[in-house]
Amino acid sequence: MPAVPPRLDRVGHAVDRRQVRVGERGHPRQCHRRRVDRPAGKPLSSSGVAGAVSFWSATVRKRVMARDRWLYAWAVGSVALGAASLLVPLYFVTIGGSTLLLGVLAGLAAAAGAPGALLFGRVADRTGKRRSLVLLALGLATVAIVVVALTDVEWVVIAGNGLLWFAAGAVAPVLTLLVTLGHLERDWPGRFAALNRYQGWGWAGGLVLGLVWTTALSGPLGAETAQRWLLWLCAAVAATAALLVAAWLPSDAAAAEQPRPSRVARAVARARRVPVRSATFPVGPARLYWLTRSMHPRAVAARFTPSLALYFAAVVAIFVGSGVFWGPLPAYLSTVQGYDSGVVFALYFLSSLGSALCYGWAGNLAERYDSAGLQTAGLLVRAVLHPAVVVVGLVLPATVVSVVANGAVFVGIGVAWAVIAVTAASIVTGLAPPAIRGEALGIYTAVSGLASGVGSVAGGWLAGYGFLTAFVVAGAFVAVGAALTTVVWRRNGEAASATTAATGQ
């Protein structure tokens, strides 16, 4: 068969026949979307193909980067949140706040995110004004930090801190939806991971900022002045994030372009990676909203299994113990141990970093071994390490050796949390019937947040009788959670053995 001569355009360039379509008057016209400029009759060389692929890849990358610039803005906002998460409690202790009220401050912070997420999530669903809601949340965060910086009245600081974490929780479900826009459903887990990565490392950057700032300026300015100036800097950072979001976040998508909430909820239920900040602030308002938005309480209660109910009892004990520990901890480190603010920031950063670096390792272990057994081990480690913080202070004076020893303890606490957090989702999804798995994960998030808030208040009250008492009680609650998780583990093993035996017969 003779070769078909190439079609030429007006200037003698070869035109791909597949790119020629018929015009309005029946005449062929060239599709200029993919113009191929090469000499007539000569095929495109391999170097030309590589160049074209490189060109289009670069174009796609530029478009994706331009579309995702707002994630950098949210990372900037997370810097302010990460620094304020510890700065406000330290400032509260510096102005003379009692341990009981410090526990109230921590408990309100743990509980404030849930109503914010439910409110903003519903408003976003009904109005579609997600861009405005993100800006409003950052504005509220800025105002909250300014309120704290302007006062030394304890209850005003508590209220301002509550508003801050209301705003942080409120924006979470909106951001979860924003990262899915314009992407296929199979890519959503990666998008959730990207959001967690940006905000998690922004959070860690805030802890580093607090470490550097307070270490450098607490001596020349005094602790209170240095902390107050850092509060003003955090407010400026939050305001800057709002301006960047206004400039970079695209306008709200049309209703037809928005993913179905039910699909987002299923994707959130499948996503098990938690951000770096969860090492010290274990509340997930975004998961709470998406996983409970269509909950039917009677249907969920009817499908609750005894093992799942027992595990939720373990969750209550675990997070009450966690709250008892973290609630009064800033007061112990700064007043009893005598650590300056920079050292306290460093210890919290080590805990968060230990979690962040070990999530992947913990996930690999969870795929190879039983999740309940792994979580039991992580809980036992954490039950020992909570009171170990006080033991280090009793055995070693507030010297470099003491700081290094406590640093190792805090890294261990972070690593143990990575194991607990990663295995918790596997345990809940394994125990819950398929019809209520998403709702069960939402209940887990709600129960953990509420228990943590109650534990924080209890920890502040117990610290009035001694920090050793408070931290021993914290370890005891976590140990009770480990014991209940062990019962669940054994039940699962017996059920699996019975199933295997029945199948073999």
Side-chain angles (χ1 to χ4, degrees), residues 2-396:
V4 179
R7 186 186 297 274
L8 304 179
D9 63 9
R10 294 180 180 178
V11 294
H13 291 114
V15 178
D16 191 339
R17 292 176 179 274
R18 291 172 297 178
Q19 299 181 30
V20 178
R21 61 175 182 257
V22 178
E24 296 179 358
R25 298 183 180 180
H27 299 292
R29 61 185 177 88
Q30 184 179 341
C31 174
H32 292 282
R33 289 179 299 172
R34 297 182 64 182
R35 171 73 174 270
V36 182
D37 292 330
R38 60 183 185 271
K42 292 186 178 181
L44 188 65
S45 64
S46 59
S47 60
V49 173
V53 171
S54 177
F55 170 77
W56 288 112
S57 299
T59 302
V60 171
R61 283 197 302 268
K62 289 179 181 179
R63 290 179 180 177
V64 171
M65 291 178 64
R67 185 173 55 192
D68 286 350
R69 284 188 303 177
W70 68 270
L71 286 172
Y72 291 99
W74 178 242
V76 173
S78 297
V79 171
L81 295 176
S85 66
L86 181 56
L87 176 61
V88 175
L90 287 175
Y91 177 71
F92 188 82
V93 173
T94 302
I95 63 176
S98 65
T99 55
L100 175 59
L101 291 182
L102 179 62
V104 172
L105 180 142
L108 182 60
L118 296 175
L119 175 61
F120 272 47
R122 293 293 181 186
V123 173
D125 275 352
R126 293 182 179 181
T127 66
K129 303 296 184 181
R130 299 175 179 86
R131 187 173 185 272
S132 300
L133 290 173
V134 174
L135 293 173
L136 176 59
L138 287 171
L140 288 175
T142 303
V143 171
I145 298 173
V146 169
V147 167
V148 174
L150 287 174
T151 186
D152 57 1
V153 179
E154 295 173 354
W155 284 104
V156 177
V157 174
I158 292 174
N161 192 57
L163 177 61
L164 174 63
W165 297 113
F166 172 87
V171 76
V174 184
L175 295 174
T176 301
L177 181 60
L178 285 173
V179 294
T180 65
L181 295 177
H183 294 270
L184 299 176
E185 186 171 349
R186 65 170 180 266
D187 298 329
W188 289 356
R191 299 294 297 166
F192 297 151
L195 175 62
N196 283 341
R197 184 168 59 252
Y198 278 93
Q199 69 182 9
W201 290 112
W203 183 281
L207 293 177
V208 174
L209 172 63
L211 187 161
V212 174
W213 181 281
T214 55
T215 300
L217 298 180
S218 293
L221 300 178
E224 182 176 345
T225 302
Q227 291 168 1
R228 182 166 287 167
W229 281 22
L230 182 55
L231 284 168
W232 284 109
L233 178 59
C234 289
V237 171
T240 301
L243 294 176
L244 293 176
V245 166
W248 291 344
L249 185 62
S251 57
D252 292 316
E257 301 175 0
Q258 298 171 7
R260 293 180 181 178
S262 59
R263 292 183 176 180
V264 177
R266 287 196 300 268
V268 171
R270 292 193 299 266
R272 299 180 181 179
R273 180 65 62 88
V274 290
V276 62
R277 71 187 185 93
S278 294
T280 53
F281 198 79
V283 182
R287 296 175 67 89
L288 174 62
Y289 171 72
W290 287 110
L291 298 178
T292 59
R293 66 181 308 278
S294 59
M295 177 181 290
H296 301 286
R298 291 183 180 179
V300 173
R303 291 178 172 85
F304 243 62
T305 63
S307 294
L308 183 60
L310 182 62
Y311 182 66
F312 277 127
V315 169
V316 171
I318 293 165
F319 282 93
V320 166
S322 180
V324 170
F325 175 73
W326 291 108
L329 183 62
Y332 169 75
L333 294 175
S334 58
T335 59
V336 177
Q337 284 290 87
Y339 295 156
D340 59 34
S341 300
V343 174
V344 179
F345 268 104
L347 293 175
Y348 273 64
F349 173 74
L350 287 174
S351 177
S352 293
L353 186 63
S355 294
L357 295 179
C358 291
Y359 282 133
W361 167 76
N364 293 333
L365 288 179
E367 293 176 356
R368 297 174 57 188
Y369 303 103
D370 185 87
S371 295
L374 284 174
Q375 185 170 101
T376 300
L379 290 171
L380 290 176
V381 170
R382 193 149 178 170
V384 173
L385 292 180
H386 283 340
V389 174
V390 178
V391 173
V392 169
L394 294 175
V395 174
L396 300 173

